[in-house]
Amino acid sequence: QHLRIFSLFYTLIKKMKLLSNLILLKPHGQSIRKEQQVYFMQENNTIIIISILLLSILLVIIINARLKRKNTIKKKALQEAERELIRKQEIILQRELEKKELEHKINDAFEQVLQLAKTNDPAFLARFKEVYPDFCKSLLAEYPNLLNSEMTFCAYLKLNLTSKEIARYTFVTHK
């Protein structure tokens, strides 16, 4: 469409030049006066200048429209990227909340197991196996003949209890 407009203006300019050349020629053997020639040349120059101005304005409008279109596309892409970033931030926030919740549960479970150990409760080993299943499985895989008392002692060590604390909780004297 833009090329069609440019070609129309180009054709118009060619026709104006052709017209001015015909006027400047001597029609039917008569000479045209110098004043008429100057007038037609000025008129032709005015038309050419107006055509060039119109072409320039049209070119500026076309460039502006393309830039607006590109700007709109970039704005849409930016808005989409912002939405994606907000969605990812929400996911991160949700995961952090889940992480804190799990840490709280682990801390509660650890405290519960520690309390059972301090009171030398018989349910200690069962609860320890629930809280630390991988530890117990790997220990039994390495030492299949491990007794419950030995497993309990390993559990105390896993909880980072000192030998004095283990002796105090199991009612054994420390040497």
Side-chain angles (χ1 to χ4, degrees), residues 60-156:
V60 168
I61 290 171
I62 291 170
I63 291 172
N64 190 27
R66 284 188 178 178
L67 289 176
K68 281 184 180 180
R69 195 175 315 128
K70 285 181 183 179
N71 194 18
T72 303
I73 291 170
K74 286 180 181 180
K75 279 184 181 179
K76 286 181 181 179
L78 182 62
Q79 288 172 346
E80 183 62 32
E82 285 175 349
R83 279 189 292 252
E84 186 67 20
L85 180 64
I86 289 170
R87 188 183 66 78
K88 287 181 180 181
Q89 286 174 340
E90 288 172 351
I91 290 172
I92 289 172
L93 184 61
Q94 181 183 6
R95 297 281 163 83
E96 286 176 354
L97 289 173
E98 289 173 1
K99 178 185 168 193
K100 286 181 182 180
E101 205 173 290
L102 287 175
E103 286 174 351
H104 183 68
K105 286 180 181 179
I106 289 172
N107 287 340
D108 286 349
F110 176 79
E111 288 297 323
Q112 186 182 27
V113 168
L114 193 58
Q115 191 61 37
L116 290 173
K118 286 180 181 180
T119 59
N120 200 20
D121 194 313
F124 165 73
L125 188 58
R127 181 66 178 139
F128 182 84
K129 287 179 180 179
E130 289 175 3
V131 175
Y132 300 101
D134 294 336
F135 176 77
C136 296
K137 286 178 186 175
S138 63
L139 198 59
L140 286 174
E142 191 72 28
Y143 306 101
N145 297 329
L146 204 60
L147 300 174
N148 272 346
S149 60
E150 295 168 330
M151 178 73 85
T152 303
F153 182 73
C154 291
Y156 287 143

Side-chain angles (χ1 to χ4, degrees), residues 2-14 55:
H2 304 303
L3 292 176
R4 182 180 291 162
I5 293 170
F6 284 127
S7 67
L8 287 174
F9 277 115
Y10 181 73
T11 307
L12 179 65
I13 289 171
K14 280 175 65 178
L55 279 173

